[in-house]
Amino acid sequence: MATVTQPEAKVAISTGNRAVIHVEDIHKYYDLGETRVHALRGVSAEIGAGEFVAIMGASGSGKSTFMNILGCLDKPNSGRYLLEGTEVSRLTKKELASIRNRKIGFVFQGFNLLSRTTALENVELPTLYAQITKTEGETRAREALELVGLADRVAHFPSQLSGGQQQRVAIARALVNKPSILLADEPTGNLDSRTSVEIMEVFQKLNDGGLTIVLVTHEHDISQFAKRTILFRDGKIRRDEPVGARPLAAEVLKNMPTLED
Amino acid sequence: MDLLAIVRIAMRALARNKLRSSLTMLGIIIGVGAVIAMVGVGQGAQQQVQQQIAAMGSNLLFVGAGTVTRGGMHMGWGATKSLVYDDMQAILRECPAVKAAAPGSTSSAQVVFGNDNWATRLNGTEPEYFDIRTWPFQEGTSFTQGDVETGANVAVIGETVRKNLFGATDPLGETIRVNNLPFKVVGVLSPKGTSAAMGDDQDDIILIPITTLQKKISGQNWLRWIMVSAASRQSSYAAQQQITSLLRDRHRIRTGQDDDFFVRNLADMADLADQAGRVMTLLLASIASVSLIVGGIGIMNIMLVSVTERTREIGVRMAIGATEGDVQRQFLIEAVVLSLIGGAIGIIFGTGASYLITETLGWAVLISPTAIVTAVVFSMAVGIFFGFYPARKAARLDPIDALRYE
Ligand SMILES: Nc1ncnc2c1ncn2[C@@H]1O[C@H](COP(=O)(O)OP(=O)(O)OP(=O)(O)O)[C@@H](O)[C@H]1O
Ligand SMILES: [Mg+2]
């Protein structure tokens, strides 16, 4: 079942304009004194519009590094990254900021919400950096919070929210500028299994709406909610396969016990 | 991101650490307050001197008999006998920049009224003198030109003389004895106070017709001075030149030879005093600005701490689309808001301190709009200058490093 990727073949396909993300032989290393740590050792992949990809792999296999590069937060040492056909390495810092603002929504493992700032204001944050009026930004932020099921928590501070709720706020923030790609680095890493499935329900709903999603997860169960899984090992892609019998998170939730029961 | 939104974020960030923000502001408050108060004191003094000089008479020129050395100090005032009444008439006739002139001669006098006795200055002049010096009467009037022609024994007295000789008695119409000659008091001058330029009591004086003084008291027929008023303040320099060349001509002074008279221009003195005042104001302001700079360093310090503390926040903002410029602007505006609020409080504080100075020390303090505008601009500049480096530091952060910062 291990399908090792064939870079040559992939490159040929890349000319197809349906590819949202196209990476080619990406290398990333960190120089620490005399030693050099290789985080990515030649990663090539292609992700099309509307895909839902789960990235798996052991700790330290380079998943976060890869996600940061996809999210235009970090740059590879070598290799090509085309985002919707655009060569990312040629973009200026300002253009990268604009892409992070509008094209990509990023959900961090550690939520990364601003403390002492309400849920609504946290979600509004990306709209401040987009050319959007204050009222329009607030409307969108409320809509995004509603989408993740937190309409009744707008005025709460992160410290007054549960982990799952905080993660939903972070997802709402990633969605507020209506990006075409959602990148989520272990969005369920700190959550219990039921809350995790709830988050996956949100993701499936968004994906059904046409959003391209790439998420990193340690848990096999969670990866099965995606349509495709990619396995990382030692900075390389070891396996890339579609998910066979994909469960619907909404269905799974119905059969899961809640704590009140 | 629009400015208003950034200002709002900055205010919120500052409100989060109220004590820290207010302590940082204190530096600016003291700095701006000190500048406002010091400039106020300086400009107040400047204005007071100017007012006193203006009170001496409008567009006044003083022509004195005597030589002047090169340094501008006049030597042996009244030592020469060459300045005469005809000179004054020539000045009136031939100097177009001159509007009016009054001759003068001076003597000391012992004045007696009843049992009271007072030593004072005795000036002989013409009625024109009071107009030239814009010196009003509190009682009575000047002696007349007719009095001058006849050499009448009439006198105008200053406030100090009135106080010392008459006390509560009405001096008008009373006869005083000046150097043993009887004089009828026809007028009392309004008090003029101590002169700013010379520091003598201008009210300690008796004025009589010049002819009376020359014929009956001093026995001299030359003048000690001529008081001249120019047509306007601007023309006073022209008047000075015209008088100088006219008198050199009349006194037959050849080129290279020293004048036997001197012409002093009040506009000159006003400029001189103005310059001195400006230097003093500048000196005071620069001493006070040192505290403003210290306050600015305080802002820089706290902004650097703030950038370090909020590294993760900066990372988050960058990750969701803030550009370097956005981050830099945010911290810069935070510094500017800090310094502007400090500046505003400093203005209130400085104005209060100025009133306190006026109340307790009795100094004239002038709070000019220029000083306030300057203070606002200055405190904003301090915020920009000292906030720039921390803001730059924040903007230069790498988003990944910032997000990973513990
Ligand atoms: N800033 C850095 N400096 C040095 N080495 C780094 C840095 N960031 C990542 N690495 C190294 O790169 C490798 C890949 O790290 P990465 O964070 O991508 O792993 P991961 O797959 O996300 O692991 P986990 O599942 O634990 O999050 C690791 O060996 C890590 O030590
Ligand atoms: Mg990771």
Side-chain angles (χ1 to χ4, degrees):
Chain A
M1 75 178 194
T3 33
V4 179
T5 51
Q6 299 160 296
E8 258 58 59
K10 288 272 178 194
V11 175
I13 302 163
S14 77
T15 47
N17 53 11
R18 261 181 51 80
V20 175
I21 290 167
H22 171 88
V23 289
E24 218 176 286
D25 199 25
I26 287 210
H27 286 262
K28 178 78 187 178
Y29 50 78
Y30 299 97
D31 283 321
L32 303 172
E34 302 101 72
T35 56
R36 172 172 283 192
V37 181
H38 277 270
L40 296 175
R41 311 164 178 266
V43 176
S44 301
E46 183 151 309
I47 296 167
E51 279 206 70
F52 187 173
V53 181
I55 294 176
M56 305 272 292
S59 192
S61 58
K63 305 181 299 288
S64 292
T65 308
F66 183 61
M67 290 294 271
N68 290 339
I69 289 172
L70 291 189
C72 298
L73 286 166
D74 211 349
K75 283 191 166 171
N77 295 102
S78 68
R80 258 154 56 96
Y81 172 23
L82 300 180
L83 179 67
E84 291 182 343
T86 313
E87 178 87 50
V88 171
S89 64
R90 294 227 185 91
L91 300 177
T92 63
K93 283 189 172 177
K94 215 172 165 176
E95 287 166 331
L96 288 175
S98 165
I99 284 181
R100 290 197 294 264
N101 187 225
R102 268 162 258 189
K103 219 169 251 185
I104 296 171
F106 208 107
V107 179
F108 302 91
Q109 180 172 357
F111 313 141
N112 273 331
L113 298 176
L114 298 191
S115 56
R116 289 192 256 188
T117 306
T118 65
L120 184 69
E121 284 164 343
N122 261 295
V123 177
E124 265 174 3
L125 217 51
T127 68
L128 296 181
Y129 299 107
Q131 262 65 59
I132 293 176
T133 63
K134 174 100 180 86
T135 37
E136 167 74 5
E138 196 185 317
T139 315
R140 284 205 201 171
R142 283 181 190 281
E143 279 168 13
L145 277 168
E146 204 163 316
L147 194 72
V148 297
L150 274 183
D152 53 341
R153 293 285 193 279
V154 280
H156 286 57
F157 291 103
S159 57
Q160 300 166 332
L161 295 171
S162 72
Q165 287 168 335
Q166 288 184 51
Q167 193 60 294
R168 282 162 193 265
V169 174
I171 293 168
R173 184 179 65 188
L175 296 173
V176 75
N177 274 348
K178 305 194 190 333
S180 47
I181 306 164
L182 182 68
L183 302 175
D185 191 356
E186 300 197 41
T188 61
N190 297 335
L191 307 178
D192 65 59
S193 53
R194 185 184 166 85
T195 315
S196 300
V197 178
E198 280 172 5
I199 297 286
M200 293 320 290
E201 185 196 6
V202 173
F203 277 20
Q204 284 190 337
K205 194 168 77 185
L206 292 167
N207 182 241
D208 289 343
L211 186 69
T212 308
I213 299 176
V214 181
L215 77 86
V216 171
T217 179
H218 270 121
E219 296 151 87
H220 180 263
D221 292 352
I222 295 296
S223 73
Q224 295 308 298
F225 291 108
K227 292 174 179 167
R228 168 184 169 192
T229 60
I230 292 177
L231 181 70
F232 269 66
R233 189 180 299 147
D234 293 333
K236 285 184 181 164
I237 294 181
R238 286 296 166 203
R239 209 165 60 200
D240 185 345
E241 58 188 16
V243 175
R246 188 165 85 118
L248 285 177
E251 297 294 324
V252 174
L253 274 178
K254 277 184 199 149
N255 303 324
M256 272 182 105
T258 53
L259 287 179
E260 294 99 286
D261 289 343
Chain B
M1 211 204 263
D2 65 304
L3 196 67
L4 212 70
I6 310 178
V7 171
R8 201 153 356 105
I9 291 172
M11 296 284 257
R12 184 121 36 101
L14 293 174
R16 223 164 264 174
N17 277 302
K18 283 197 187 67
L19 182 64
R20 196 164 86 180
S21 301
S22 6
L23 285 176
T24 310
M25 256 180 231
L26 202 57
I28 296 292
I29 293 172
I30 292 172
V32 169
V35 170
I36 293 267
M38 289 299 105
V39 171
V41 167
Q43 291 192 327
Q46 226 172 316
Q47 198 194 38
Q48 203 172 28
V49 170
Q50 287 300 331
Q51 277 170 351
Q52 285 182 348
I53 290 175
M56 287 172 74
S58 54
N59 324 319
L60 202 64
L61 286 108
F62 183 86
V63 182
T67 44
V68 181
T69 60
R70 284 202 163 270
M73 296 279 293
H74 60 93
M75 307 285 289
W77 178 23
T80 56
K81 303 173 180 176
S82 50
L83 195 68
V84 292
Y85 194 83
D86 281 351
D87 286 336
M88 187 203 81
Q89 285 180 318
I91 287 170
L92 275 176
R93 201 170 52 234
E94 286 168 40
C95 300
V98 169
K99 194 178 74 186
S105 200
T106 305
S107 170
S108 61
Q110 196 66 33
V111 197
V112 181
F113 174 69
N115 292 325
D116 291 309
N117 203 310
W118 187 248
T120 184
R121 216 163 1 130
L122 183 65
N123 272 3
T125 186
E126 289 186 350
E128 197 70 34
Y129 175 86
F130 303 102
D131 285 338
I132 293 173
R133 293 215 54 192
T134 54
W135 202 342
F137 285 81
Q138 53 172 308
E139 245 187 305
T141 55
S142 163
F143 45 81
T144 62
Q145 197 60 37
D147 291 333
V148 174
E149 272 152 30
T150 57
N153 284 13
V154 284
V156 165
I157 61 173
E159 170 65 12
T160 307
V161 175
R162 184 200 66 76
K163 226 170 22 201
N164 284 290
L165 284 184
F166 293 96
T169 322
D170 182 5
L172 272 197
E174 298 287 352
T175 301
I176 50 173
R177 296 189 76 80
V178 179
N179 293 1
N180 270 327
L181 290 172
F183 278 82
K184 198 175 114 193
V185 177
V186 293
V188 183
L189 290 164
S190 298
K192 221 172 170 66
T194 308
S195 108
M198 338 273 196
D200 56 350
D201 181 3
Q202 300 177 85
D203 298 322
D204 192 3
I205 197 164
I206 294 181
L207 295 124
I208 59 174
I210 180 142
T211 45
T212 315
L213 182 78
Q214 284 180 335
K215 283 178 198 147
K216 297 183 180 165
I217 293 175
S218 70
Q220 301 167 343
N221 61 351
W222 60 86
L223 301 179
R224 211 169 147 85
W225 45 261
I226 301 170
M227 202 65 86
V228 176
S229 111
S232 68
R233 188 170 174 160
Q234 287 85 340
S235 62
S236 62
Y237 289 100
Q240 187 171 10
Q241 271 171 358
Q242 289 163 3
I243 292 168
T244 306
S245 67
L246 176 75
L247 289 185
R248 280 183 73 92
D249 213 40
R250 287 180 62 86
H251 296 181
R252 303 210 162 69
I253 299 163
R254 269 166 295 165
T255 37
Q257 232 175 342
D258 280 342
D259 294 345
D260 61 352
F261 62 92
F262 60 90
V263 184
R264 262 211 270 166
N265 187 338
L266 213 69
D268 255 352
M269 286 174 55
D271 287 352
L272 212 68
D274 210 36
Q275 221 167 15
R278 246 198 297 268
V279 169
M280 183 178 86
T281 307
L282 207 69
L283 201 72
L284 287 172
S286 43
I287 292 168
S289 329
V290 172
S291 52
L292 199 56
I293 289 169
V294 173
I297 294 170
I299 287 193
M300 184 154 172
N301 187 23
I302 231 61
M303 289 310 294
L304 282 173
V305 171
S306 178
V307 167
T308 311
E309 269 180 3
R310 284 150 69 193
T311 301
R312 270 180 85 86
E313 177 194 324
I314 295 164
V316 170
R317 286 183 185 274
M318 285 181 153
I320 58 162
T323 61
E324 277 188 17
D326 288 327
V327 173
Q328 181 164 343
R329 228 167 297 142
Q330 183 188 331
F331 280 90
L332 203 55
I333 284 180
E334 205 170 304
V336 170
V337 165
L338 202 57
S339 63
L340 271 184
I341 295 177
I345 300 173
I347 288 170
I348 298 168
F349 173 81
T351 314
S354 304
Y355 280 116
L356 219 65
I357 290 171
T358 316
E359 289 292 307
T360 54
L361 300 178
W363 295 0
V365 176
L366 182 76
I367 301 294
S368 65
T370 341
I372 288 175
V373 170
T374 312
V376 169
V377 171
F378 218 79
S379 53
M380 197 155 97
V382 163
I384 292 173
F385 184 80
F386 289 101
F388 186 81
Y389 174 69
R392 191 90 210 102
K393 206 176 155 203
R396 282 286 168 84
L397 283 173
D398 183 68
I400 285 289
D401 290 342
L403 279 171
R404 214 174 267 147
Y405 185 85
E406 293 300 330

